[in-house]
Amino acid sequence: MSGVPDPSEIFHRAAEEGRRRLEQPLLELAATGFIAGFTIVFGIVALGIVHAAIEPQFGDVARVVGALAFGVGVVLLVVGRAELFSENFFDPVAAAVERSDSWLVGPLLRLWSLTLVFNLVGGTLFVLVMSVDGALPPGSGAAMSTTAEELAHRKGAGMFADAIAGGVLVALLSHLLVSVDSDGGRIAVAYIVGALLALGPFDHVVVTVLHVLFGMRFGADIGVATLTLITIVSTAGNLVGGLGLVTLSHVAQAIGARESDT
C-alpha cells in the first residue's frame, strides 16, 4: 500500500525513538513514568464510573461500555508522551539492536525497572486521592471492587495467560505508533488497544495492580500476599508477551527484510 512504511522503515523509526528513551536523564525518566502512572488511573476511574452507571439496567453490557471508557486513558498517555511499562519494549530494543557493538543491557534494565517503579508510585498516590470518600460518584467504588476481586481470584495459569496477552497488546501499541504518521492515527491506535486491554480484561501489571489497589481501598477481600502475587505474575507475563512474542518477532522481521534487500 502506498504511504505505508515497510518493516525496515518502521524499525528505523523505532530505533530513533528508542535512543531518545534510553538517553533520558534520571529526572526525566522518573517524571515520565510517574506521569504515566497517575494518567492511566483516569482510565480505571472512567471504567468504574461507567460500569456503575450502566450495569443496573444493562447488565453485562456495562463491561463493554466500561472497556470503551478505559480506552480514553491510553489515549491520554500517548498524546501526553507519558511512558508505560512494556509500552517501552520495542523502541529501545530496536535502538540496542542497531548498536551492533553493544546490546545496551544496562540502559535497557534501567529504563524498564525505573519506568515500572514510577508508574506504580504515581498511580498508587493517585489511587489514594481518588478513593477518598465522596471523590467518585456513588457505586463507582463498588464496581471497581467487584472487578478487582475477579482479577485477584483467578487461577495462576489464567492470570499468566492474560498477562501474556496484555504484554502483547501494550508492546504492539509501541510498534503501531511508529507505523502511523498522523496524530489521528496514533489516537485511534491508542484507543483501540486500550479498549481491547480492558475488554479481556487482559493484564498489564500497572493497570491490574492499580485496579486491585482501588478494590482494596473500597473493601475488596484481597490481601497483600495476593497483591504481591498478582504483581509478580503480571510482570512475568508482560515480559513474555511484550518481549518474547512482539518485540523479538518484529526484530526478526526487520532483520529478515534487510537481508532480502541486500
Side-chain angles (χ1 to χ4, degrees):
M1 293 176 60
S2 176
V4 177
D6 60 27
S8 295
E9 174 61 23
I10 294 172
F11 191 80
H12 176 71
R13 293 181 183 182
E16 290 292 323
E17 173 63 16
R19 277 191 286 273
R20 182 194 68 79
R21 295 187 179 192
L22 288 169
E23 293 169 0
Q24 291 177 98
L26 177 60
L27 181 60
E28 181 184 1
L29 176 55
T32 302
F34 185 86
I35 292 166
F38 69 72
T39 299
I40 201 63
V41 170
F42 282 107
I44 300 172
V45 167
L47 187 156
I49 293 172
V50 169
H51 191 280
I54 297 295
E55 197 273 338
Q57 290 184 324
F58 297 99
D60 288 342
V61 174
R63 183 182 297 274
V64 177
V65 181
L68 296 176
F70 175 81
V72 175
V74 180
V75 171
L76 294 178
L77 281 175
V78 169
V79 173
R81 302 285 287 180
E83 195 161 305
L84 199 64
F85 175 73
S86 82
E87 184 266 328
N88 58 11
F89 282 170
F90 177 62
D91 296 347
V93 169
V97 171
E98 281 207 342
R99 286 279 300 274
S100 57
D101 59 326
S102 172
W103 278 78
L104 300 176
V105 174
L108 284 171
L109 293 178
R110 170 182 176 269
L111 173 65
W112 295 336
S113 60
L114 290 179
T115 298
L116 176 57
V117 168
F118 284 101
N119 282 171
L120 292 174
V121 170
T124 298
L125 289 175
F126 204 49
V127 166
L128 296 177
V129 172
M130 295 307 296
S131 57
V132 170
D133 187 31
L136 297 176
S140 304
M144 286 190 281
S145 179
T146 299
T147 303
E149 289 188 339
E150 292 174 359
L151 291 170
H153 296 149
R154 290 169 297 170
K155 294 182 179 179
M159 187 186 301
F160 185 63
D162 282 341
I164 292 174
V168 166
L169 274 173
V170 178
L172 186 61
L173 172 63
S174 179
H175 181 268
L176 293 173
L177 288 174
V178 296
S179 305
V180 296
D181 296 316
S182 68
D183 291 338
R186 291 170 60 84
I187 290 171
V189 165
Y191 181 77
I192 291 168
V193 169
L196 285 174
L197 188 69
L199 187 61
F202 301 116
D203 284 325
H204 180 275
V205 57
V206 176
V207 177
T208 300
V209 167
L210 294 178
H211 206 139
V212 170
L213 282 173
F214 260 125
M216 294 170 71
R217 290 280 291 172
F218 287 115
D221 184 20
I222 304 169
V224 174
T226 300
L227 179 63
T228 302
L229 178 63
I230 290 169
T231 305
I232 293 171
V233 172
S234 296
T235 302
N238 288 171
L239 287 169
V240 171
L243 276 178
L245 294 181
V246 174
T247 300
L248 296 183
S249 296
H250 283 301
V251 166
Q253 180 189 40
I255 292 173
R258 289 179 178 180
E259 291 177 351
S260 69
D261 292 337
T262 58

